[in-house]
Amino acid sequence: MSSPVSRRGIEAVSAAVLAMSRHLEVREVLQTIVASARELLGAEYAALGVPDDHGGFAQFVVDGVSDEQWKAIGPLPRQHGILAAMLHEASAQRLTDVTQDPRFEGWPSAHPDMSDFLGMPVLDGDEILGALFLANKKGPSGFGDEDEALLRTLAAHAAIALVNARLYESSRELTLVKERARIAHELHDAVSQKLFSLRLTAQAAAALVDRDPARAKDELRQVAVLAAEAADELRAVVVEMRPAALDEDGLMAALRSEVQVLDRAHSARVEFTSCQMRALPAAQEEAVLRVAQEALHNALRHASATAVTVRLEGRGRGAVLKVTDDGCGFDPSVVRSAGRHLGLVSMRDRASGAGGSLTVQSEPGKGTVIEMEVPGG
């Protein structure tokens, strides 16, 4: 029969595994693994390094160290000493004083003092995904056999969570590539002929300007007509096209993917959070996504925002979307930018068309908050 301590350990591992399973992004999974390991074993510090192919770490996540301390420590560690032993030998490392180990090579001056140490490789078959290690166990006895067994179990589940997160991110990238190809095909079929006619008509007008101004005017009128038709067809393609990501993964995943792409593409920090969400009717999900896209576009292109937060949360049977930016802001009652004005009208139309509502809070110099609520179904 298991001891009470062992039973508590099993329950703690179960809670940690459940926490890991809630996340799909690799970075979130790594942070959850580290925080769970530190809490599970009662350590002062915890870290997990994912190696690259050049002797360093592609990702390195810590828990128990403040942001200020982490910045003061400096560059990420290299794969050397005890870290290298875990990454190359795939074996656990348990030490009563890490500084007395012959493989210890020192650390930066701002690095916190560490003594007792427990390290465990994170394995997927024969592949070493990373190294998970803890330091300074709270209490007089240091890390023991049960600590090592618990960390080994946690590392095994961490490997599964990390592999799943990598697969998820790969599938999202593939979805983005497919979506770009699909949009390109739709736009080509719908608009290319109009644009081709537009270009030929414009060239004809340019050739007639000097020798036949009257005919040149007629051609320029035709240019205006063709441009309007091309704009209408382009708008129709965009409006009617339901994003593939919504059909495949749902609103939350589509929003998360949208935010990730924009965060990489812009210097501004773009973040996504969500909680207590249930599926919505298809028309409402698309409306929420389109409003989020328009609000993000305004914040990043027109408001010069340095930070944008997108939050999606359930409310009753429905949901609330909130897009907050720290940009230049504006007076909603006196909108001077025609582009922004049209964007607000479009967002309100989408919200009302989905049976929802939209509110805009903004002041010059104080950023903007766009909030949309839909009723669900």
Side-chain angles (χ1 to χ4, degrees), residues 146-159:
E146 184 177 2
D147 293 316
E148 184 173 331
L150 286 174
L151 191 60
R152 191 182 305 279
T153 301
L154 183 65
H157 288 285

Side-chain angles (χ1 to χ4, degrees), residues 181-256:
R182 188 175 71 89
I183 291 172
H185 179 73
E186 293 276 356
L187 293 179
H188 181 272
D189 288 347
V191 185
S192 60
Q193 289 299 320
K194 277 288 185 292
L195 293 180
F196 181 70
S197 299
L198 182 61
R199 190 175 75 171
L200 289 181
T201 306
Q203 289 173 343
L208 291 168
V209 165
D210 294 326
R211 56 190 176 87
D212 195 340
R215 283 185 60 193
K217 286 183 179 180
D218 290 338
E219 295 293 333
L220 288 174
R221 292 189 190 98
Q222 184 63 20
V223 166
V225 171
L226 289 171
E229 291 177 355
D232 288 341
E233 291 196 13
L234 179 60
R235 190 177 298 110
V237 169
V238 172
V239 169
E240 294 171 6
M241 192 165 46
R242 175 173 166 84
L246 277 178
D247 293 324
E248 295 172 7
D249 301 315
L251 177 60
M252 194 178 302
L255 269 176
R256 183 182 288 111

Side-chain angles (χ1 to χ4, degrees), residues 161-181:
L162 189 53
V163 168
N164 287 341
R166 286 180 171 179
L167 290 173
Y168 171 79
E169 290 196 350
S170 297
S171 71
R172 294 302 308 130
E173 291 296 325
L174 182 59
T175 297
L176 286 174
V177 171
K178 289 180 179 178
E179 180 69 358
R180 291 190 192 103

